[in-house]
Amino acid sequence: MANSSRGPLSGIRVLEATHMLAGPYCGMLLADLGADVIKIEPPGGDIARRVGPHFIGPHNVYFASLNRNKRSVCLDLATPDGQAKLGKLATTARGLITNMRPAAIGKLGLTYASLKAHNSRIACLALTGYGLEGPEADMPAYDYAIQAMTGVMALTGDPGGPPTKVGYSAVDNSTGIMAALALVSAILEGKGGQIEVSLHDTMLSQLNYLAGAYLNAGEVPARQSSGAHPYIVPAQIFPTRDGHLALFITHDEFWHKFALELEQPAWLTDPDFATMAGRSVHRDRVIAGIEAVLRTDDTQAWVDRLRPLGVVIAGVTTLDKSVETRLVVDRAMVVTIPGGDGDLRVIGCPIKGNAEAVGYARPPLLGEHNDEIFRELEAME
């Protein structure tokens, strides 16, 4: 059963013909906020149902992490019957999401041009690699390729080392969020039409200030040691006696507190250390001095000492430890969805508010809601 809670998108139906990550994540965010998201799957189902080795009963864990709170219908959109049913669904929907290649989007009738005859107010979102048109439109696009093409890989890792992929699917997730914003905006406008969001454009847009430095001053961004910020010092990862921590100090007020807590009063009078501008110019000397002190104690000890002073600091931890923290519990960011075949644990919705709490329903089985949804359509005729 889909999410029955009343959210800000309650009463809005969105069709989702997507696979893998970016499109399903977009749809799940809308479903968490109350939209009736109907996932249209081909006879073999979303390929994500077969990614990874982990299952809870019949539920693939990879698929479950991206498809809760939805209903599933199984349609062969390459057939006249599938197209007829798509048209019926479109008459009741405010939006459609798809993340297939442009050629497939057109062939399967998942465009505004194809669906406006059924519903002129439907907003059709194409989530693509490089756009709906152009010489590269139908080239394959995955997170790896986009990180490589936009300069993200070249910026990630230490100088002198190889390019490095960001450790999670940053492109797909970011584009899913951007797509959700785009679709809700189009639905709010109420005119219907074709909109598109591409993986390439989304990732390029997230290079904002780095791109601005190049476009306006010719500065080509380079990798920084230990993930350092290009302008702010100290703002990077530091080794400690037992691990690593992330430290980010911008204002000189916080630098003052930091220096005194580390028992380094000379850092407040030495011009290389005392100001934000000085620290930026003399980065190597400043970083060496800080590193020498931070290596003398454990990560948690530094966090316990510096965080109460307002200094931005965090220990570098692993996912298994991260999801068990008090903050995650307090924010209800790990959610259990009960089921007869075992409980599913998933990351909760990050959008919080004063409305009724988000409800969580298990992901749908393939075609689970075919009869239910088409009975609803028949009752409306």
Side-chain angles (χ1 to χ4, degrees):
M1 145 179 283
N3 178 11
S4 60
S5 71
R6 309 238 359 133
L9 300 182
S10 177
I12 294 176
R13 174 170 289 179
V14 175
L15 309 181
E16 180 199 304
T18 72
H19 62 284
M20 289 299 286
L21 204 164
Y25 185 50
C26 172
M28 186 179 74
L29 292 173
L30 303 181
D32 282 351
L33 295 175
D36 177 18
V37 177
I38 298 177
K39 186 176 181 72
I40 300 171
E41 300 187 67
D46 182 345
I47 192 174
R49 292 184 180 275
R50 301 182 293 280
V51 173
H54 308 297
F55 284 80
I56 299 295
H59 298 291
N60 174 283
V61 170
Y62 181 101
F63 179 86
S65 71
L66 297 160
N67 289 282
R68 63 171 177 256
N69 286 337
K70 302 176 186 178
R71 297 193 286 173
S72 169
V73 295
C74 184
L75 298 179
D76 186 349
L77 296 179
T79 67
D81 180 65
Q83 283 295 307
K85 289 178 176 175
L86 172 63
K88 286 184 178 181
L89 286 169
T91 63
T92 67
R94 297 290 304 280
L96 176 141
I97 309 163
T98 183
N99 67 333
M100 301 176 188
R101 292 193 200 182
I105 291 173
K107 180 180 179 181
L108 297 177
L110 296 169
T111 65
Y112 181 72
S114 297
L115 295 176
K116 66 181 179 180
H118 302 283
N119 180 358
S120 63
R121 295 184 63 206
I122 191 170
C124 295
L125 170 71
L127 200 162
T128 68
Y130 312 103
L132 277 172
E133 298 177 345
E136 298 190 31
D138 277 301
M139 295 293 290
Y142 286 87
D143 201 288
Y144 285 75
I146 301 300
Q147 287 195 34
M149 290 176 65
T150 56
V152 172
M153 281 187 181
L155 283 168
T156 308
D158 281 333
T164 302
K165 176 187 173 293
V166 176
Y168 78 110
S169 299
V171 178
D172 286 329
N173 282 286
S174 297
T175 309
I177 297 168
M178 189 72 74
L181 172 62
L183 187 60
V184 169
S185 298
I187 290 172
L188 182 63
E189 185 181 36
K191 296 179 180 179
Q194 185 69 56
I195 52 176
E196 57 173 300
V197 173
S198 80
L199 301 175
H200 174 271
D201 296 354
T202 295
M203 210 58 193
L204 198 61
S205 78
Q206 294 194 356
L207 295 177
N208 38 56
Y209 71 86
L210 294 172
Y214 170 70
L215 293 172
N216 295 283
E219 178 185 319
V220 178
R223 284 186 226 154
Q224 303 287 339
S225 296
S226 301
H229 194 281
Y231 308 128
I232 298 170
V233 180
Q236 65 177 68
I237 301 166
F238 286 94
T240 64
R241 188 165 64 186
D242 69 341
H244 294 83
L245 58 78
L247 181 68
F248 194 99
I249 299 178
T250 51
H251 302 301
D252 288 337
E253 173 190 351
F254 291 116
W255 174 257
H256 186 94
K257 294 177 180 180
F258 174 75
L260 292 181
E261 184 63 30
L262 267 62
E263 300 177 353
Q264 300 294 324
W267 291 357
L268 302 178
T269 56
D270 186 328
D272 290 2
F273 285 76
T275 68
M276 189 175 178
R279 293 190 295 276
S280 180
V281 172
H282 301 283
R283 175 189 294 269
D284 291 345
R285 184 178 175 223
V286 173
I287 296 304
I290 295 171
E291 184 173 319
V293 178
L294 293 180
R295 282 184 179 275
T296 65
D297 209 344
D298 294 344
T299 299
Q300 192 58 49
W302 289 120
V303 172
D304 292 343
R305 288 173 62 179
L306 292 166
R307 198 172 186 192
L309 302 178
V311 174
V312 179
I313 185 171
V316 176
T317 190
T318 51
L319 176 63
D320 57 314
K321 294 182 175 64
S322 171
V323 296
E324 302 296 338
T325 62
R326 177 64 183 270
L327 178 60
V328 169
V329 173
D330 289 346
R331 299 288 296 168
M333 283 305 297
V334 170
V335 179
T336 299
I337 304 175
D341 297 298
D343 293 343
L344 272 167
R345 298 181 75 210
V346 298
I347 299 299
C349 181
I351 302 171
K352 314 292 184 183
N354 295 324
E356 183 177 343
V358 171
Y360 295 97
R362 62 177 176 78
L365 300 175
L366 176 60
E368 180 179 352
H369 301 97
N370 274 58
D371 292 342
E372 173 184 296
I373 289 171
F374 287 104
R375 277 198 305 267
E376 291 175 5
L377 293 177
E378 290 172 3
M380 295 172 63
E381 292 178 352

